[in-house]
Amino acid sequence: MINAGNLVWLPLYALFYVAVMLFWTRVAARENGNHETYFSAGHSLSPWISALTLAAASLSGWFLLGGSAEIAARGFAQPGVLQAGIVLALPGVLFFKRMWFVGQRLRLSSQAELFRSYFDSKFLVVVSVVVAVVFAVGFAGLQLRALSELIGMLSGGMVSPLVASLFLGVVLFAYVGIGGMRAVGYFGVIQSVLAFTAIVGLAGFALMSSGGFAALNAGLQTLAQSPDGAGLFQVAGVIRFSAGLGRDAVMGHAETALTSLSVAMAFMGFQASPLAAKIVLSTRNANGFAAGQTWVMAGIVGGIIAFGMAIIGTAGLINPQLSLGGMLAQLQAASPWFMAWLFLGAVAGVQLLAGLGLLTAGEGLVRHIYKPYFHSSLSRVATVNLTRIVIALLALVSVLMQSLTPVALSALGALALPLAFQLWTPLLGITWLRWITPAAATVGVGFGIAGVLLTETMGYEVLSFLGLELPWGRWPWTIHSAAWGMAANIAAVLIISAITNRNAFGAEAQEARRFVQSTLRMGPRARVLGAAAWSVALAWIFLAVGPGLVFSNFAFGTVDASGGAWSVGMPSIWAWALLFWALGVGLIWFLSYKMEMASPYLMDIPAYEPPRTLHHDQTRVEGERLRKLVVTGALAFILVVLVAFSFGS
Amino acid sequence: MSTPNTERDLLVFSIWAVLGFAGLAFLLEGFTRDSYFVCLLGTALIVAAFVAHIIVNFLFQQGFRPGETVLGIGAFGVLTFTFIAGVLSGSMSMVDYYSGLTLFSILIVGFIAYLSTRHGLRGAFSRFHVKTAVSEDSGR
């Protein structure tokens, strides 16, 4: 039974959180001039603010809520997760600097605009917006749901999960709706430090409760001696040719080295998502990307994941009473002030991601879809106000789905990262690979999405509902949907780039290509180091998250039915992960600075002046377009219902 | 545009959100467990928050804002009142008593040290000395 006095602390700290949120929302709204710089903070966020918010949004609550639960349930069988800090930094190093330069030259503020200007592709614009919506409603909604349930548990049932998720939704809307991107950036700094502190604090509590690091590893040793215990500390080979989850049972456990590699690819999707692009394009200059990716993302976030998340998960693995929920409940009873403070950190991390997602999705739906295609005469003020309404609606949908359709929410949330990963190919086209043509980028992403949907729960459940049973389940051959999608994506990009005109780019794309080529040319030293960079990066990927993970089973000791003979006092697989995290920080530093891929580069970038064109009144055409959309939507709905009624189960 | 003032304020908020709240939590934990060591850890964290705040002020070439001063003095007043009330009610343990005294001593010594190093001993006194206006033509 929880002491009534202990229940006071969480609302008290929540009140403080809301007060700080309102303060920064007010500051942001005043600096915005209400609507003038609502969407991208006037491209004026400091590089250190961007670096922190990017890192915390990437970390979000997933690693605390999902990552630690994964280790608590399945041990270290998927060690690629422990390299998340490095694999999140890799795409940042690859894309951000060049993306920022193109965005600054063409004065763009979002990924959808980037795709429209460079590839002139409506499909890519829609995909970018859909990915943002999936992140805002599905991915963040899933984490908010987990938090709401924890609030319900911590309040002793006094606050229901529905009320908790409504409260979290209202807080989200309050600062995103009023303060826009600037509020996301400013409040994001405080949310970031709170989120980092929460994981470190909870890891410290987990260590103390377990009796210290040595006792924790002794507990793992005992666990290794239990029947099937060895499997918790081993990767199950390179690949298993199974039909996938839900279709085929795999002998032993199903986490292979390729599962780790493909999950790492999914993580890489976040940095290619419209959410990350939103922060990058709202930044004042490109001077902070190297430091942000090397020290904040790979160093701090990577360390927090490899140590903190692993310790929290391990404590839960040894003693289920010390799983995240159990640990918070214990803290609630013994030290409610600590519990409130640390729990608020978890809330802050998830809200940062959700707020960024809502803003990007709201902007995408209104500014990049509704306004250009259905209402081009919409004023700036009306655009901002409509975006606020859409943000409120998206937050409401998320709250309702958390409560009413948790299974659908879970399936939707699982799509966010693999879908975002499919945007790698168009981003590579914009930043590095000039031979990727607009047609190839568009078709590639289409194939990639199909690949993801056909190997994820959402896809085969929908097809099953319509009467079509796929012969495989989720993640066939123990490979995550992100990799299946990318395989289809790359195949399409290579074939179509080979057969389409490589010079078929519009004026803005030509300008972006010329600008990047002329300003970001690699220096002679970086060119000399090119081969070394490729070798080191590929070797790291192979050994840290790829097939080389099988070496981690025995590199620092062995584990079998008689227990673990660990030469460094901890499971070999965990020691391997820590070693490659440290090497990974070095790799990111090398790529960022020595290879100049994200190195600071200060220059004034004048805006590109496009040729003037005549604007015609589009009102009638847009009205007609809207009517067609409504009719098509209605017909599609009827068709789906008829098919489901005829063939569905 | 995010101004240096905004960035300074963000850093100050972040410092207190982490170190300040950690310090408060350790103090409360120490009082509950009747542990002087844990209370001392809390006090050290609060001092660390002040030091970090002063470093940020130095980096941004600013002093404490009026709002921050009011909040600090107000919090100090509330703490003092609570401490005195605790002593008078006789419900405090010796650990509570010494922990409170340690916190107040460090805060007061730190406050004087800060003013002395920032304004000099004479200048520090002048911060509290009310200057009466003397008109130019008063003849004296």
Side-chain angles (χ1 to χ4, degrees), chain A residues 35 39 366 371 375-386:
Chain A
H35 62 270
F39 290 114
V366 176
K371 189 174 174 182
H375 198 165
S376 56
S377 58
L378 203 65
S379 70
R380 178 88 179 164
V381 182
T383 306
V384 170
N385 287 335
L386 190 58

Side-chain angles (χ1 to χ4, degrees), chain A residues 11 63 225:
Chain A
F63 288 101
Q225 290 163 4

Side-chain angles (χ1 to χ4, degrees), chain A residues 338-350:
Chain A
F338 269 118
M339 189 283 298
W341 178 50
L342 297 177
F343 183 70
L344 212 62
V347 172
V350 175

Side-chain angles (χ1 to χ4, degrees), chain B residues 39-56:
Chain B
C39 283
L40 204 62
L41 191 60
T43 308
L45 283 167
I46 289 172
V47 171
F50 268 114
V51 171
H53 193 151
I54 291 165
I55 290 172
V56 167

